[in-house]
Amino acid sequence: MANIVSSHIHPMRYMRNRPFARKAMQLYRRMVGRGIPTMEALQAITGLMMPAYNDGIMSLPFEKRPERPTAMITQEMSLAMHVGAFVEHGRNIFFLEPHIVELLDRTDLTGVRCCDIRLPFDSFHISFGDAFDGCLPGPPNKIDGAYITTHPQHGGSFQVVVTSRRLDVRNPDKPNRWPLSRDLYFYAPLDISDPEATIEDAVRKAVVSGEIKIQQTALAPDDDAVVETQSGPVLVRDVRHLTDADETAWTREALPTFRRALALVVNALCYLNATEEDGEERELPDDAPPDLKAQWKSPKVNLRDRAKAGLLERGFIPVVVRKSAPGQHGNEPGAGGEGRPVEAHWRRGHWRRQPYGQGRALIKLKWIRPTLVASDGSDIPDTPGHLYRLT
């Protein structure tokens, strides 16, 4: 069973390391709700960010401060819109257990059509925890999940914001780390307006259209520097404003990761569509306060409500855990059925569109999982196991 660490899950980390997060979410609820953000709402939330930005850069020598914070503030405001929609639609996080991440990363999307994807909520987050090894160019980081957001008014598209976690920042939950050591992320819209188009086409279109937007690593000295803050030293690593040429080069370098991360996100959506909800339950992160975890499971409603409020106050959100039947995910390359070493390789998984219902007019996705194959072409025997978490 994988550990669920709250600092590895972007929505929980965001609410703790952005000093303006709570007020921004309150403004979002009051001014946007479940509608489309207005210019008035964007300006109001931007107004919350500026004092926090000004406080943050006071740690930098005057000559090292950026001349124009516009790009960074605009991108932070955009990210806040996705987090706001996530909060407004119920704070639903689907946590993928590491074996699921590994297998979905080895699964092809060939043949899956746009009409096969049904979103469980209008806004939610898919968390890879610490399991995905993809990273974005720049400071040491690891991609840790994605926000999925759609507005009914937009019809044929949904927005994907792929998030990452900085690996060179101690205590990433501290609010005074912002904006000196922000996480990297990228945004991509997926157009699914043509129900018979393939998902691979939608991903390819997003990648080549130029609509993918990255968070510029705005802010900082030309060289790596250690900046003293109220809670101790912070490493600020090359977070300057990007020129157009820099951004083009960054995007070119990140392209393989873009494709892989987007494919993993869409495979995760297929997985949500293909698996049954039987056995689904919510669990708290392992690092949540033990006393509140105990109250959260209490049969008394007032204790549960009090625990829920206390957990949210501290930035902890229950995650959905979905159990799966044993499958082909306990194998390790190089291990034969009789203990003798073999040269093994992975046979990639795929999705089968399976007709069902009256007149077999409906389609559901069936996951043909990746399989380890021995050198003679035979499948390596399974080791039974369980898949645990989706929040």
Side-chain angles (χ1 to χ4, degrees), residues 98-148:
H99 280 305
I100 288 287
V101 174
E102 180 185 9
L103 294 180
L104 291 176
D105 192 31
R106 299 177 184 274
T107 299
D108 294 328
L109 289 167
T110 305
V112 178
R113 300 180 186 177
C114 293
C115 59
D116 297 329
I117 301 298
R118 297 179 299 278
L119 303 183
F121 304 98
D122 285 343
S123 184
F124 57 100
H125 188 267
I126 296 175
S127 173
F128 309 146
D130 201 39
F132 185 54
D133 62 359
C135 61
L136 299 173
N141 67 87
K142 176 176 283 192
I143 290 175
D144 61 6
Y147 292 94
I148 312 295

Side-chain angles (χ1 to χ4, degrees), residues 17-324:
N17 68 16
R18 261 62 169 190
F20 50 81
R22 191 177 305 278
K23 290 183 178 179
M25 296 304 102
Q26 292 170 350
L27 261 181
Y28 187 97
R29 169 159 290 183
R30 187 166 66 249
M31 302 184 71
V32 180
R34 298 199 174 187
I36 296 178
T38 63
M39 183 57 67
E40 182 183 7
L42 300 180
Q43 291 173 346
I45 292 176
T46 299
L48 287 177
M49 295 177 179
M50 287 305 303
Y53 170 86
N54 290 330
D55 290 344
I57 66 170
M58 291 299 290
S59 301
L60 290 175
F62 184 81
E63 66 275 8
K64 297 292 188 180
R65 298 175 191 175
E67 296 179 3
R68 296 180 302 279
T70 308
M72 194 210 74
I73 293 296
T74 299
Q75 291 150 4
E76 275 292 326
M77 179 267 296
S78 176
L79 180 60
M81 295 300 101
H82 291 276
V83 179
F86 161 82
V87 170
E88 189 63 23
H89 286 85
R91 298 185 177 93
N92 293 287
I93 304 171
F94 293 91
F95 183 93
L96 299 180
E97 202 270 348
H99 280 305
I100 288 287
V101 174
E102 180 185 9
L103 294 180
L104 291 176
D105 192 31
R106 299 177 184 274
T107 299
D108 294 328
L109 289 167
T110 305
V112 178
R113 300 180 186 177
C114 293
C115 59
D116 297 329
I117 301 298
R118 297 179 299 278
L119 303 183
F121 304 98
D122 285 343
S123 184
F124 57 100
H125 188 267
I126 296 175
S127 173
F128 309 146
D130 201 39
F132 185 54
D133 62 359
C135 61
L136 299 173
N141 67 87
K142 176 176 283 192
I143 290 175
D144 61 6
Y147 292 94
I148 312 295
T149 304
T150 184
H151 293 288
Q153 298 92 327
H154 289 168
S157 68
F158 60 88
Q159 291 78 48
V160 180
V161 175
V162 175
T163 60
S164 71
R165 174 172 59 92
R166 288 280 290 270
L167 303 179
D168 59 343
V169 178
R170 289 185 298 169
N171 300 322
D173 290 345
K174 295 293 185 182
N176 65 349
R177 303 302 188 195
W178 190 89
L180 300 181
S181 299
R182 296 184 306 142
D183 298 335
L184 303 171
Y185 71 87
F186 72 84
Y187 161 85
L190 290 183
D191 182 1
I192 57 172
S193 56
D194 181 358
E196 294 305 312
T198 67
I199 283 291
E200 282 187 319
D201 289 338
V203 171
R204 189 179 303 111
K205 181 179 178 182
V207 170
V208 304
S209 66
E211 293 187 64
I212 288 179
K213 305 297 181 185
I214 64 170
Q215 175 204 278
Q216 293 192 41
T217 49
L219 247 201
D222 297 330
D223 304 313
D224 294 353
V226 174
V227 175
E228 289 294 332
T229 68
Q230 293 177 356
S231 64
V234 177
L235 175 65
V236 181
R237 183 184 293 272
D238 187 23
V239 276
R240 58 193 172 82
H241 286 296
L242 299 182
T243 65
D244 289 344
D246 290 334
E247 186 167 340
T248 300
W250 191 97
T251 304
R252 187 183 303 113
E253 183 181 353
L255 191 57
T257 304
F258 281 155
R259 290 182 180 275
R260 185 178 165 209
L262 279 177
L264 178 57
V265 169
V266 177
N267 271 316
L269 293 177
C270 293
Y271 178 72
L272 296 183
N273 281 230
T275 53
E276 298 294 333
E277 295 187 2
D278 295 340
E280 181 177 282
E281 57 188 41
R282 288 181 178 267
E283 292 187 12
L284 286 169
D286 297 334
D287 54 341
D291 56 333
L292 292 180
K293 290 176 73 172
Q295 291 182 18
W296 184 70
K297 295 181 179 180
S298 170
K300 298 182 179 180
V301 175
N302 62 331
L303 287 180
R304 292 202 304 270
D305 290 345
R306 192 181 309 161
K308 182 179 179 181
L311 289 163
L312 287 177
E313 183 74 19
R314 292 163 174 79
F316 292 97
I317 304 172
V319 299
V320 176
V321 178
R322 184 175 300 171
K323 295 185 177 180
S324 172

